[in-house]
Amino acid sequence: MAKPDVKSKASTNESSAQKPASKKNPEIVEVVAEDGDHVEPSPPEVVEPDPEWSPEEAEQARKDYLLTRFWISARGFWGEGGDRLAWLFSIGLLILIVANVGFQYGINVWNRAIFDAIEKRDSATVFHLTAVFFPLAIGSVLLGVAQVFARMGIQRRWRAWLTNSVVSRWLSNGRYYQLNLVSGDHQNPEYRIAEDLRIATDSPVDFMAGVTSALLSAATFIAVLWTIGGALTVTVAGSAISIPGFLVIAAVLYAAIASGSIMTIGRRFVQISEDKNQAEAEYRYALTRVRENGESIALLGGEEEERDGIDKTFTKVLRQWARLAGQHMRTTLVSQGSSLIAPVVPLLLCAPKFLDGSMTLGQVMQAASAFTIVQSAFGWLVDNYPRLADWNACARRIASLMMSLDGLERAERGDGIGRIKRGETEGDAMLSLNDLSVTLDDGTAVVGETEVVIEPGERLLVAGESGTGKSTLVRAIAGLWPWGGGSVNFHPDRRLFMLPQKPYVPFGTLRRAVAYPGAAEDWTVEQLADALHKVGLDHLKEKIEDEAPWDQTLSGGEKQRLAFARLLLHKPDIVVLDEATSALDEKSQDKMMEIVTKELPKATIVSVAHRVELEAFHSRKIVLERRKGGAKLVSDVDLIPRKVKRRLLGRFLRRRTTPPPEKAT
């Protein structure tokens, strides 16, 4: 991949700490690869709130940033790396909108002609215009259908493109897991990707199509109103006052009053929509949690407590919907009233000129039709303000997820909080931890500086009391935990396989569950059945091709046995076991470890466990102990004596005085 070259109109060398906070929009940096390839622009610099800002100003600055962040990624759909048909669909939609306005004008002119013919009782002209109407109507309908196809085509392709971008970032480098470990507004990412992103890409297309159509319609039919209406002369206190373009002035004033009313009444629409979406996401998450943890809840008899929690969450949803209903009622009051009054206003305004003979019936009806179209164009905001508010809320929610992913990507580049480096070992060592320290995303130390070298075929047991960071250390070794310092180095071209305490069981057939994360077709049914037999799951061999909710069907012990079956199939070089036998009895645990030792004699094993019995299956043991400033490596002993002196040890051990070595148990 080409190294990106950052180009900016303003100097970016000055650190954000040195830059004064301002209310201006954050600078957007353009990123171009050295070979000319397009790279997605970097997000704008996060502007820290000025201490002098009020809470409302700080919140508004945050919202402005979120919308900017959303558009930086979303606009890439029309960029060099975007969809190849994006511009074709967009230009096609614009042409269709222009053509549709043209047909509207044609029908408006036809409206004048037909009423003039009726007024004159000209039957020949009426029959002729009747024949003309059908091609106009059919053309308008066909254009409308084509416009829907183009508009929804853009929406579908834009959503697919942006979803692919967000999901790719979300699934890369374990970020979907790391989001659970960091603070930020990114709860329920699955809801944001599935629902918020849909609305965030649907609504802008509708808005742009609506605005374009409204502007063209307004410009076209304002000209019609100005031409037909002319000037209106009224007598006030004996003086004649002429009002040029009175129909245009009336249409603009009417639209301004209606739009101003809706803006005033619906000023809190955005915040209420955002609160409603958040409440819906929390409610869905509560229901999902019950489904995912159904067995534990059922065994503990926690239905009543879960129902209480669900009811509270749902009550919050109903409360937000009630607030939203109030906003809709007020905006509907203006919208419905406007739609009822609008057709009557031009008739009343044109009546004096029709009665004095200066306007024909056809001109009156044409003016009424044009006035309604202009009013609809100007009142477009009135009809769409609720959707605009909903879009604002959804765009900010998906942008909040993007912001959290931005933070994880900055950590991967080493910006801000320290990042654990990953490299290759020197010599024959299979795995080495060099000055490794593990921290939280805010810099809080979890495990202090540690140095360990693990030789090929070595079986290392990591021990220590709960809370000393054993599992966190293992996650750092596996590459799931990025924050800290030092490095984790692996022997080149060696594969690592991790067995967590709670194995993941995917949807689908048992065959897929056994082969995971490999493809189910990578092994024959006989090979899968043999692996199940070795781990004591013979009763499942006949169900390999069955599709069932295996995550709910299998017990905790069966899931852990299933994980060992995967291990036997994949045959990795390095195995990391994180309490991988905690759900098994001692006899079953011994059998699993014996199978691993027998089937994978050359594999290097790193285990985290509390059970003393597991020491019999390991050649070495290191112990972590909680200390101020993070857990420390306090002992490193051989459980199986070896002739070759080990090259290793932690910085802490090298500095401490030499107490009697700990004996293997």
Side-chain angles (χ1 to χ4, degrees):
M1 180 181 294
K3 182 179 178 181
D5 174 30
V6 179
K7 299 179 180 179
S8 173
K9 295 181 180 179
S11 174
T12 57
N13 294 331
E14 189 176 1
S15 66
S16 58
Q18 296 171 326
K19 291 182 179 180
S22 68
K23 298 180 185 179
K24 295 181 179 179
N25 290 333
E27 179 188 359
I28 300 174
V29 179
E30 180 185 3
V31 181
V32 182
E34 289 180 348
D35 59 1
D37 291 341
H38 172 76
V39 180
E40 181 176 333
S42 298
E45 180 185 347
V46 179
V47 178
E48 296 296 333
D50 192 307
E52 298 180 358
W53 289 359
S54 65
E56 293 76 14
E57 290 176 324
E59 179 64 14
Q60 187 59 47
R62 183 188 73 86
K63 291 180 177 180
D64 291 343
Y65 174 88
L66 289 175
L67 289 181
T68 302
R69 178 64 192 90
F70 170 77
W71 281 116
I72 286 172
S73 291
R75 71 187 183 189
F77 176 70
W78 288 274
E80 294 181 16
D83 189 280
R84 58 187 177 86
L85 297 180
W87 280 106
L88 179 63
F89 270 85
S90 301
I91 294 173
L93 178 59
L94 178 60
I95 293 173
L96 290 170
I97 290 173
V98 173
N100 199 33
V101 172
F103 269 77
Q104 275 187 313
Y105 175 74
I107 292 174
N108 180 259
V109 172
W110 177 91
N111 204 40
R112 171 181 175 174
I114 190 71
F115 277 99
D116 280 341
I118 291 173
E119 184 182 24
K120 296 176 182 178
R121 293 178 173 79
D122 186 351
S123 58
T125 303
V126 169
F127 285 124
H128 172 72
L129 291 173
T130 301
V132 171
F133 174 76
F134 289 104
L136 283 174
I138 293 172
S140 181
V141 170
L142 292 178
L143 283 172
V145 172
Q147 192 171 322
V148 170
F149 172 79
R151 175 173 53 80
M152 297 192 72
I154 295 173
Q155 291 170 326
R156 176 175 55 85
R157 300 182 74 91
W158 193 12
R159 181 188 179 187
W161 181 87
L162 190 55
T163 297
N164 180 64
S165 174
V166 174
V167 170
S168 296
R169 297 180 65 209
W170 181 50
L171 293 179
S172 295
N173 301 329
R175 294 175 195 146
Y176 56 91
Y177 168 76
Q178 296 167 7
L179 284 176
N180 299 319
L181 311 175
V182 300
S183 58
D185 181 18
H186 51 251
Q187 297 81 7
N188 316 119
E190 65 283 353
Y191 181 86
R192 296 172 191 248
I193 294 172
E195 186 65 15
D196 290 325
L197 195 148
R198 178 187 66 81
I199 296 174
T201 51
D202 278 4
S203 298
V205 179
D206 289 338
F207 294 152
M208 292 306 299
V211 168
T212 302
S213 179
L215 289 176
L216 290 174
S217 297
T220 301
F221 291 98
I222 279 177
V224 172
L225 288 177
W226 189 279
T227 303
I228 294 176
L232 177 66
T233 302
V234 295
T235 302
V236 179
S239 300
I241 301 176
S242 179
I243 305 175
F246 73 101
L247 289 177
V248 175
I249 295 174
V252 172
L253 286 176
Y254 189 89
I257 293 171
S259 299
S261 300
I262 201 69
M263 291 292 289
T264 302
I265 290 174
R267 63 186 181 277
R268 299 182 64 241
F269 225 123
V270 174
Q271 185 59 49
I272 292 175
S273 293
E274 192 168 351
D275 293 342
K276 183 267 296 182
N277 288 345
Q278 181 62 34
E280 291 280 12
E282 292 175 359
Y283 178 56
R284 180 178 297 187
Y285 180 69
L287 295 175
T288 302
R289 289 282 295 170
V290 172
R291 177 180 59 81
E292 291 178 344
N293 299 278
E295 181 180 3
S296 298
I297 294 170
L299 292 174
L300 293 172
E303 291 86 356
E304 185 175 346
E305 179 64 24
E306 291 299 326
R307 179 58 187 265
D308 183 60
I310 290 174
D311 287 345
K312 288 180 180 178
T313 308
F314 188 58
T315 299
K316 185 177 179 181
V317 171
L318 295 179
R319 188 183 305 118
Q320 297 302 330
W321 267 104
R323 295 176 64 202
L324 188 63
Q327 288 291 318
H328 274 290
M329 290 166 61
R330 286 188 283 274
T331 54
T332 301
L333 178 66
V334 177
S335 179
Q336 285 287 95
S338 175
S339 63
L340 289 173
I341 298 173
V344 178
V345 171
L347 294 177
L348 296 177
L349 292 174
C350 292
K353 301 193 74 172
F354 174 73
L355 294 175
D356 66 17
S358 59
M359 288 185 71
T360 66
L361 178 61
Q363 288 175 321
V364 171
M365 300 311 296
Q366 184 184 15
S369 174
F371 187 93
T372 303
I373 293 173
V374 171
Q375 173 55 34
S376 298
F378 280 132
W380 183 87
L381 180 62
V382 176
D383 299 327
N384 289 273
Y385 189 78
R387 288 193 62 200
L388 180 63
D390 199 30
W391 173 80
N392 264 279
C394 292
R396 287 169 184 163
R397 280 176 52 79
I398 193 67
S400 295
L401 175 60
M402 292 176 176
M403 277 186 64
S404 296
L405 294 173
D406 293 341
L408 294 176
E409 289 179 354
R410 283 193 293 269
E412 292 168 9
R413 295 194 302 266
D415 300 346
I417 302 301
R419 178 82 180 181
I420 298 172
K421 298 178 181 178
R422 304 181 69 79
E424 298 181 355
T425 57
E426 298 178 358
D428 297 329
M430 184 64 69
L431 171 64
S432 68
L433 312 180
N434 298 337
D435 293 336
L436 179 66
S437 60
V438 183
T439 67
L440 301 179
D441 65 307
D442 60 1
T444 304
V446 177
V447 178
E449 295 175 344
T450 303
E451 285 195 12
V452 176
V453 176
I454 303 173
E455 303 294 343
E458 198 167 20
R459 300 190 296 276
L460 176 69
L461 178 64
V462 182
E465 62 183 14
S466 298
T468 53
K470 302 184 302 298
S471 294
T472 305
L473 178 62
V474 167
R475 285 170 173 77
I477 293 173
L480 296 178
W481 194 283
W483 304 286
S487 63
V488 176
N489 303 311
F490 291 91
H491 193 289
D493 303 322
R494 295 296 185 268
R495 295 182 300 121
L496 181 144
F497 199 93
M498 185 170 182
L499 272 65
Q501 184 176 1
K502 297 180 179 180
Y504 171 68
V505 181
F507 292 115
T509 63
L510 181 62
R511 178 173 186 167
R512 182 184 179 218
V514 179
Y516 193 85
E521 298 76 20
D522 289 349
W523 293 274
T524 64
V525 173
E526 291 73 21
Q527 289 174 315
L528 298 174
D530 182 58
L532 291 175
H533 167 72
K534 290 177 179 178
V535 299
L537 295 177
D538 291 274
H539 60 288
L540 296 177
K541 291 195 298 184
E542 302 301 322
K543 302 178 181 179
I544 287 179
E545 299 292 356
D546 292 357
E547 187 168 335
W550 296 109
D551 184 54
Q552 304 295 326
T553 304
L554 300 178
S555 67
E558 287 176 323
K559 290 178 184 178
Q560 289 193 339
R561 289 174 181 267
L562 185 70
F564 277 95
R566 294 172 181 168
L567 183 62
L568 300 181
L569 292 172
H570 286 272
K571 301 184 185 304
D573 304 292
I574 305 173
V575 181
V576 178
L577 308 176
D578 184 12
E579 300 282 359
T581 59
S582 60
L584 300 175
D585 58 79
E586 185 177 338
K587 183 178 180 181
S588 298
Q589 172 184 267
D590 292 349
K591 181 179 179 181
M592 293 301 102
M593 297 304 297
E594 288 172 357
I595 290 173
V596 172
T597 304
K598 177 183 177 182
E599 297 289 332
L600 305 173
K602 297 182 179 181
T604 301
I605 299 175
V606 179
S607 298
V608 170
H610 290 93
R611 293 180 178 178
V612 178
E613 298 82 10
L614 283 171
E615 292 185 2
F617 300 96
H618 294 81
S619 59
R620 180 180 169 195
K621 174 183 175 181
I622 64 174
V623 179
L624 293 175
E625 185 176 293
R626 187 181 301 157
R627 298 287 181 85
K628 185 177 180 180
K632 301 292 184 181
L633 176 63
V634 296
S635 69
D636 187 337
V637 297
D638 289 331
L639 300 174
I640 299 177
R642 59 168 101 190
K643 297 179 181 180
V644 181
K645 183 178 180 181
R646 183 173 65 242
R647 57 184 185 91
L648 53 120
L649 271 202
R651 179 178 298 175
F652 177 80
L653 289 179
R654 293 201 303 269
R655 293 179 178 174
R656 58 188 300 221
T657 56
T658 55
E662 183 177 328
K663 295 182 180 180
T665 58

